[in-house]
């Protein structure tokens, strides 16, 4: 009887020891999976070779190595792409400046035939559009790479919206669109770069002027919800939107795939990049024919 009792105690002790180690191994695996999910890098998961979960731990380590390598390759490719775009944009600026200069000289020539003057006007318009495109690409590349300087200061978002609408009053008046604003009575102070956020507003208003349904309304709503300021710009698209909000903020992506309107697909990408760099949130929602941009900043 004593021998049986001793054997039972020994087996129970062994079972508890094995069970405890398996629980610890499972806990280590769960923690490792959690760290991978959060994107945290840590040391490889090391379990004893005689563990029942040794093979699973090795597989998890291999998965983590693959994910890390893929992320590094993607970051490297993105960096090379940004550097290439930046360098090409910079190299294009010098000859384009010369072209614009010579076009200006030609426009001042006297006794030119009328058809030649028309050609010069077309060249001036097209070269100016090309200049704006190159500047946009250059600015977006600098902002995406973190090389652009942002001067953070306290600004009134309400004043920024009002000024942007006033600066583009002529374009709005000639657009056959009805702009409806809903602004708070009190100032809404945030921290950000005033010049960059003015550019954001200009891009968003220009976007509505280009792509809104003719004769429709454009709503600009600014509100303060708790500690956050929320700016919404809502319009009805004049074309079928077969994309989602995240797709249209990619570089050179246009919602108007038929390209029946002017634009190069950088306006929203620049706006999102500037807002994010200033510490805000930028979201695009597409529902039916409604296109909505929402910008959020923490209130000072």
């Amino acid at each position: 009887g004593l021998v049986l009792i001793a054997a039972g105690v020994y087996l129970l002790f062994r079972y508890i020891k094995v069970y405890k180690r398996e629980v610890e191994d499972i806990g280590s695996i769960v923690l490792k999976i959690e760290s991978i999910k959060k994107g945290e890098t840590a040391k490889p998961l090391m379990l004893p070779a005689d563990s029942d979960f040794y093979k699973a731990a090795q597989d998890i380590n291999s998965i983590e190595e693959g994910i890390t390598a893929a992320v590094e390759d993607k970051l490297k490719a993105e960096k090379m792409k940004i550097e290439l775009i930046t360098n090409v944009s910079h190299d294009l600026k010098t000859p384009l400046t010369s072209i614009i200069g010579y076009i200006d000289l030609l426009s001042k020539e006297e006794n030119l035939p009328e058809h030649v003057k028309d050609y010069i006007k077309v060249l001036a318009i097209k070269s100016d559009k090309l200049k704006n495109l190159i500047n946009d690409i250059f600015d977006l590349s600098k902002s995406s790479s973190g090389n652009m300087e942002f001067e953070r200061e306290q600004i009134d978002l309400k004043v920024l919206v009002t000024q942007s609408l006033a600066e583009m009053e002529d374009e709005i008046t000639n657009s056959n669109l009805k702009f409806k604003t809903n602004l708070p009575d009190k100032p809404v102070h945030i921290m950000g770069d005033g010049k960059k956020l003015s550019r954001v507003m200009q891009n968003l208003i220009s976007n509505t002027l280009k792509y809104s349904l003719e004769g429709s309304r454009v709503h600009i709503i600014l509100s303060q919800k708790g500690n956050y300021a929320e700016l919404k710009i809502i319009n009805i698209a004049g074309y079928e939107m077969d994309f989602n909000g995240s797709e249209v903020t990619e570089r050179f992506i246009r919602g108007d795939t038929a390209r029946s309107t002017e634009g190069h697909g950088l306006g929203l990408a620049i706006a999102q990049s500037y807002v994010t760099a200033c510490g805000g949130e930028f979201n695009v929602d597409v529902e039916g024919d409604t296109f909505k941009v929402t910008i959020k900043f923490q209130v000072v």
Side-chain angles (χ1 to χ4, degrees):
L2 290 175
V3 172
L4 291 175
I5 292 173
V9 171
Y10 173 77
L11 292 175
L12 179 63
F13 175 76
R14 291 280 298 176
Y15 173 78
I16 293 174
K17 187 177 180 180
V18 171
Y19 177 76
K20 181 182 178 182
R21 194 176 78 170
E22 288 185 349
V23 170
E24 290 175 349
D25 291 348
I26 292 173
S28 299
I29 290 174
V30 170
L31 290 175
K32 185 64 176 178
I33 294 173
E34 188 71 20
S35 68
I36 294 174
K37 185 179 73 173
K38 293 180 179 178
E40 299 173 352
T41 56
K43 295 180 180 179
L45 178 59
M46 303 302 295
L47 295 182
D50 60 344
S51 172
D52 293 338
F53 302 99
Y54 177 78
K55 183 64 169 59
Q58 295 298 105
D59 291 342
I60 290 174
N61 290 333
S62 298
I63 291 172
E64 184 180 29
E65 291 174 2
I67 292 174
T68 302
V71 170
E72 289 177 353
D73 290 343
K74 184 177 181 180
L75 291 175
K76 185 178 179 181
E78 185 69 17
K79 183 179 179 181
M80 291 177 62
K81 183 169 64 174
I82 291 174
E83 289 178 352
L84 175 62
I85 293 174
T86 303
N87 293 335
V88 170
S89 301
H90 187 271
D91 292 341
L92 287 174
K93 277 187 173 182
T94 302
L96 181 61
T97 301
S98 299
I99 292 171
I100 293 175
Y102 282 115
I103 291 174
D104 184 57
L105 291 174
L106 283 173
S107 65
K108 295 177 182 178
E109 289 287 332
E110 298 180 355
N111 302 321
L112 291 175
E114 287 300 320
H115 69 280
V116 174
K117 292 181 180 180
D118 292 337
Y119 295 159
I120 294 173
K121 289 180 182 178
V122 173
L123 287 173
I125 294 172
K126 298 300 182 181
S127 60
D128 191 56
K129 287 179 63 177
L130 184 58
K131 177 184 176 182
N132 292 333
L133 172 59
I134 292 174
N135 287 335
D136 285 347
I137 295 173
F138 191 69
D139 290 344
L140 181 58
S141 298
K142 287 179 64 179
S143 176
S144 301
S145 62
N147 294 327
M148 179 174 285
E149 295 182 358
F150 286 83
E151 299 179 2
R152 289 172 61 83
E153 58 183 352
Q154 183 173 307
I155 59 176
D156 186 351
L157 193 55
K158 176 185 175 182
V159 173
L160 181 71
V161 172
T162 305
Q163 288 179 345
S164 300
L165 290 171
E167 290 172 359
M168 303 187 70
E169 184 177 1
D170 292 340
E171 293 94 326
I172 292 173
T173 302
N174 298 328
S175 66
N176 197 25
L177 297 172
K178 298 177 182 178
F179 276 69
K180 300 290 184 179
T181 58
N182 186 351
L183 307 179
D185 297 329
K186 298 180 180 180
V188 181
H189 291 116
I190 64 170
M191 294 298 295
D193 189 313
K195 292 181 180 179
K196 300 295 190 298
L197 293 181
S198 293
R199 173 76 178 280
V200 171
M201 282 301 304
Q202 290 173 3
N203 285 5
L204 295 179
I205 294 173
S206 297
N207 199 65
T208 61
L209 295 175
K210 292 175 184 176
Y211 303 119
S212 293
L213 181 66
E214 187 174 356
S216 63
R217 293 185 179 89
V218 177
H219 295 273
I220 299 180
I221 304 168
L222 176 62
S223 60
Q224 182 174 338
K225 297 181 178 179
N227 295 326
Y228 286 89
E230 187 175 80
L231 175 64
K232 293 182 179 180
I233 301 178
I234 307 169
N235 67 289
I236 304 298
Y239 57 92
E240 184 178 356
M241 296 187 291
D242 55 352
F243 54 86
N244 58 48
S246 60
E247 291 175 342
V248 79
T249 54
E250 294 292 326
R251 285 168 293 207
F252 299 106
I253 298 297
R254 294 178 54 183
D256 180 17
T257 53
R259 294 187 176 265
S260 57
T261 56
E262 294 185 358
H264 43 59
L266 290 176
L268 288 178
I270 292 173
Q272 183 185 48
S273 179
Y274 282 6
V275 169
T276 303
C278 288
E281 297 178 15
F282 187 96
N283 294 298
V284 175
D285 295 309
V286 176
E287 185 175 351
D289 294 330
T290 304
F291 188 88
K292 179 173 70 175
V293 175
T294 304
I295 298 173
K296 290 179 66 176
F297 275 97
Q298 189 168 0
V299 174
V300 179

